[in-house]
Amino acid sequence: VCRVSIGGDVANNTITAIPGIEVGHWTNAEAATGVTVVSFPEPNQAAVEVRGAAPGTRETALLAPGMSVETIQAIVFSGGSAFGLGAADGVMAELAAEGRGHPTPAGPVPIVPAAILFDLIVGEAVAPDAAAGAAAYKARSGNPVTLGSVGAGTGATVSKWGGFESIRKSGIGSIAIEVGDVTVGALAAVNAVGDVVDLDGRWVTGGSWVPTPAEPAGSRENTTLLVVATDAAVPRADLFRVCVRAHDALAATVRPAHTRYDGDIVFAVSCGDRRGDLDALGEAAFAAVAGAVVGAVEAATSLAGIPAANDG
């Protein structure tokens, strides 16, 4: 993983190494839930690909090929299951107050795709609301992203397919990689039914991939949320190739991934004018996503009685 130097002496190897990208968290540790907002410079182009069978999303149809609006203002990841989609309302309100959004005769309409994960069985059954989303947006900065059990990753867990005794805490992970003059970054909120393994084959949780005959713990309530961004100029049609490689990395590091129990989703955003080779960008996205997924588990801390993987 390459570290990106900011200002010559401060290392930032998270998604905010890409100029103009800011990330903010709102965390409720007592309820074990939260919100993470990624704000993007404009103009930009965005795409999305959903491969899990149980997604919870908002504004994803607008990111399909041929749709008329290409620039987004922010992406929201939230806990709270479908209730958490309301967190995007608060982000929209803050953006509108700043005059950011798609221009219309009635004023700017912020475009804020959102996706949620299910954390209602961890801690208290509380869902982030519009105020939580607004707070996460106001907390945004271009500093290195705070990782682990924060924001949308506060109540995130993995390794549920093996039963309740195997569950481990997860959270937020983020990595940025340089490819020549271009930077590719990924941010992940990892809440998977499967186990996590790094690209060297080291099991971070679990230790084998043997299907269990029992229904997984919290079986139908899982999702890994990913955003991949670059300062390279990439048209929307080509961003879908970046989404493919990002999902490849998810499948390599979460076993099993893309199940009927998961709502796995990748957003890809181009927010710069640098020139980069599409295949090289795809490989950087693969590496960044893999690092972000593993980092989300390794940076997590125990919460609500659920141990972290690094607890031993």
Side-chain angles (χ1 to χ4, degrees):
V1 173
C2 298
R3 289 188 175 271
V4 180
S5 178
I6 304 295
D9 58 356
V10 178
N12 181 0
N13 68 330
T14 68
I15 197 171
T16 50
I18 297 172
I21 290 184
E22 296 179 323
V23 173
H25 299 306
W26 175 85
T27 301
N28 184 336
E30 182 177 348
T33 194
V35 179
T36 296
V37 176
V38 186
S39 175
F40 298 96
E42 302 172 46
N44 59 62
Q45 296 202 43
V48 67
E49 184 177 14
V50 180
R51 290 195 182 178
T57 60
R58 168 172 168 162
E59 291 278 41
T60 52
L62 196 63
L63 306 186
M67 296 301 174
S68 60
V69 177
E70 293 191 330
T71 291
I72 67 173
Q73 279 65 57
I75 288 174
V76 174
F77 290 165
S78 177
S81 189
F83 298 110
L85 290 172
D89 291 337
V91 179
M92 287 188 67
E94 294 297 320
L95 287 162
E98 295 176 0
R100 295 182 64 192
H102 180 70
T104 78
V109 176
I111 307 301
V112 184
I116 51 85
L117 56 81
F118 186 95
D119 56 8
L120 296 177
I121 59 173
V122 180
E124 300 175 6
V126 173
D129 56 12
Y137 179 76
K138 291 178 181 178
R140 75 196 186 282
S141 81
N143 295 329
V145 178
T146 302
L147 308 178
S149 302
V150 296
T154 302
T157 54
V158 296
S159 194
K160 283 164 276 192
W161 70 278
F164 283 101
E165 69 281 357
S166 74
I167 297 176
R168 294 294 181 269
K169 273 296 286 110
S170 183
I172 297 289
S174 185
I175 289 289
I177 291 177
E178 289 181 316
V179 184
D181 294 331
V182 171
T183 303
V184 177
L187 182 143
V190 183
N191 188 59
V193 71
D195 278 303
V196 173
V197 57
D198 69 19
L199 293 181
D200 293 323
R202 177 182 63 90
W203 290 85
V204 181
T205 64
S208 63
W209 184 48
V210 179
T212 173
E215 186 169 275
S219 62
R220 303 188 186 279
E221 300 90 15
N222 310 274
T223 291
T224 295
L225 309 175
L226 288 159
V227 56
V228 177
T230 180
D231 54 5
V234 184
R236 176 174 283 178
D238 288 341
L239 282 174
F240 288 100
R241 304 312 306 166
V242 176
C243 288
V244 167
R245 287 304 280 152
H247 272 297
D248 289 346
L250 179 59
T253 52
V254 176
R255 302 184 190 177
H258 304 135
T259 73
R260 58 190 170 130
Y261 306 122
D262 294 281
D264 301 334
I265 182 169
V266 172
F267 295 93
V269 183
S270 165
C271 51
D273 57 5
R274 296 179 180 270
R275 299 184 66 178
D277 176 78
L278 181 60
D279 293 315
L281 294 176
E283 294 315 295
F286 182 96
V289 167
V293 169
V294 172
V297 174
E298 291 185 329
T301 53
S302 58
L303 186 69
I306 299 174
N310 56 18
D311 288 345

